[in-house]
Amino acid sequence: MSDPTRVTADPFDLVVIGSGPGGYVAAIRAAQLGMRTACVEKYPILGGTCLNVGCIPSKALLDSSEHFAQARHGFAAHGIRATVELDLATMQKRKDTVVSELTRGVEGLFRKNKIERVQGVGRIASATEVAVTGEGGARTLKTQRILVATGSKPSALPGIAYDGRRIVHSTDALTLPEVPKSMLVIGAGAIGLELGSVWLRLGAEVTVLEFMDRPVPGMDKKSGALLRRALEKQGMKFRFGASAKAARVEGDRVRVTVSEGGAEREHTCDVLLVAVGRRPYTEGLGAAEAGLRIDERGRIAVDEHYATAVPGIFAIGDVIAGPMLAHKAEEEGIAAVERMAGLPGHVAYECVPNVVYTWPELAGVGLSEEDAAARGVEVAIGTFPFLANGRAKAMNEREGQVKILADARTDRIVGAHIVGPRASDLIAELAFAMEMGASAEDVARSVHAHPTLPEAVKEAALGVGRRAIHI
């Protein structure tokens, strides 16, 4: 009987497993460098979690819901009176259109760069073979190198089972058919606050449970406190030092057992959103069987060149150590491929920004005040509130501030944190400044257009030297 498995006649230079931001960007860069490249994706649509059920659809809903909230509560301050009605179906359709346009864009880039797209589940058969199973049958891809970019998936909690409608994870929360009257969110990280904000703006009563004593625990503490106050003004409720132990659906309600202050009590809601982070996705990959080392958190161990314990196999993105951020995965994909080609690819991890896309937004890069203290780094700090920024006042966006941390000895910027309008855009200047080894004085001396939000960045840099002008 003949073997139905098809084997590629000529080996690829690189086979990438996974087409998320890390995988598809790596595949494109490899093709640019002249490598014969294939990308294996189990779903019929390219783009991975980020484009399909993560970054992009959530930001589409965040923008739409912000427009809705502005029409209901913000336009009046500008002299605009409006009667507003929510059309959730159209809002969801717009989100889906945005996703579709971007995923089709990735398909176009694959065609442009002559990357072979292989649909199916990829498994490492050996250091030079990727076995793919899909609707079209089985296929084995011969290759010189393998790059694992399989990403992550939502974590679960013991005693709480997802049902996709009442007890949901982040993917389910993007497609709720109606606005719940009440939503309980477990986890005050970026995902919980962002999706909680969407449904809060659309009319849900939202309460956030967080095991730690503050929101966004991994970011600058004082900046997180500013964000918390802003969200509380919008109606979001927080309960810290709390965790969910169990949940069950009864009819159209969810009964959640909450542990708080040494006692357990029951909380009821229409929708329970579990947003306690993500975990590496390696199911069916054959990583351990191939000899790759897996740590206690399910991550693949790699060296500074993104090489695993098996020569010829590399890994990037959410499946290795570090923050689970799309832009981090992209940069790792480029660096890994460039190193394969003998080029000096690198990622400056201390300059990778992190953003919470609530409104106001929270963005940070580098050291927080807590990090600096823990490392014994003496810093000079400059802050500037948006309340004193002309453009922010004109926009009626007065929440938050820019904070810059500079080494007290050298004046080199070692961290920056922004709470306010378009913080996600403003942080780029400071991430670039850090990448270039710039000082607070360098930023303070650079000319910023007036009136603009970036002037708050300049003023914070001036504040490091205690010479801010407008405060």
Side-chain angles (χ1 to χ4, degrees), residues 52-365:
N52 288 283
V53 293
C55 318
I56 299 304
S58 65
K59 302 316 167 280
L61 284 182
L62 280 161
D63 278 338
S64 293
S65 62
E66 176 60 21
H67 287 311
F68 181 71
Q70 280 292 314
R72 291 181 68 195
H73 309 297
F75 283 177
H78 295 276
I80 304 170
R81 296 183 179 179
T83 300
V84 183
E85 181 180 347
L86 174 65
D87 182 349
L88 182 59
T90 298
M91 187 178 289
Q92 293 280 20
K93 184 178 179 181
R94 189 194 84 88
K95 172 205 69 181
D96 294 340
T97 298
V98 171
V99 170
S100 178
E101 289 174 349
L102 287 170
T103 55
R104 286 201 306 269
V106 176
E107 291 176 5
L109 290 170
F110 271 29
R111 289 192 296 271
K112 174 184 175 182
N113 290 279
K114 297 180 174 57
I115 297 164
E116 184 164 342
R117 175 185 174 184
V118 182
Q119 185 181 340
V121 177
R123 180 179 59 82
I124 301 171
S126 72
T128 58
E129 292 182 327
V130 175
V132 182
T133 55
E135 292 182 3
R139 181 181 179 188
T140 297
L141 307 178
K142 300 286 287 185
T143 182
Q144 294 184 26
R145 307 174 191 86
I146 298 169
L147 178 62
V148 178
T150 47
S152 61
K153 65 179 184 178
S155 296
L157 285 175
I160 299 178
Y162 296 120
D163 70 354
R165 178 62 184 90
R166 294 292 174 185
I167 303 177
V168 303
H169 50 58
S170 58
T171 301
D172 301 323
L174 295 168
T175 57
L176 296 181
E178 60 186 15
V179 179
K181 291 181 180 178
S182 61
M183 173 179 278
L184 183 65
V185 180
I186 306 175
I191 295 173
L193 296 184
E194 289 175 10
L195 291 175
S197 288
V198 167
W199 297 106
L200 175 71
R201 295 166 185 169
L202 299 182
E205 179 183 294
V206 176
T207 300
V208 181
L209 303 183
E210 171 55 51
F211 181 73
M212 303 295 285
D213 61 353
R214 59 192 174 102
V216 285
M219 300 185 75
D220 182 73
K221 185 174 182 178
K222 291 180 181 177
S223 298
L226 290 175
L227 178 62
R228 172 189 172 181
R229 287 200 290 270
L231 293 176
E232 286 177 333
K233 287 181 183 178
Q234 297 169 25
M236 187 175 286
K237 299 174 184 177
F238 290 92
R239 290 164 62 179
F240 297 103
S243 59
K245 297 300 182 181
R248 66 186 187 279
V249 178
E250 292 186 359
D252 59 358
R253 300 284 284 171
V254 184
R255 296 190 178 277
V256 186
T257 302
V258 177
S259 176
E260 186 177 9
E264 290 189 355
R265 65 192 68 182
E266 195 165 75
H267 184 107
T268 59
C269 59
D270 292 317
V271 172
L272 173 66
L273 168 59
V274 180
V276 292
R278 300 180 65 84
R279 58 188 178 89
Y281 186 76
T282 57
E283 284 84 345
L285 180 63
E289 295 86 343
L292 277 63
R293 289 199 298 269
I294 310 294
D295 70 13
E296 69 284 355
R297 297 174 62 180
R299 302 174 301 191
I300 296 173
V302 296
D303 65 13
E304 67 275 14
H305 299 288
Y306 307 101
T308 69
V310 178
I313 302 180
F314 303 79
I316 60 164
D318 289 2
V319 82
I320 68 171
M324 291 184 172
L325 300 169
H327 46 282
K328 176 250 193 190
E330 290 179 356
E331 296 304 320
E332 287 178 339
I334 291 172
V337 167
E338 288 180 341
R339 288 180 175 183
M340 293 175 199
L343 300 174
H346 79 286
V347 178
Y349 286 102
E350 69 276 11
C351 302
V352 175
N354 195 3
V355 180
V356 182
Y357 294 89
T358 49
W359 197 265
E361 295 178 332
L362 168 61
V365 63

Side-chain angles (χ1 to χ4, degrees), residues 66 70 359 386-387 392-399 421 453:
E66 176 60 21
Q70 280 292 314
W359 197 265
F386 282 103
L387 181 64
K393 281 191 174 182
M395 295 167 62
N396 202 36
E397 298 289 352
R398 307 181 184 205
E399 297 273 6
L453 296 174

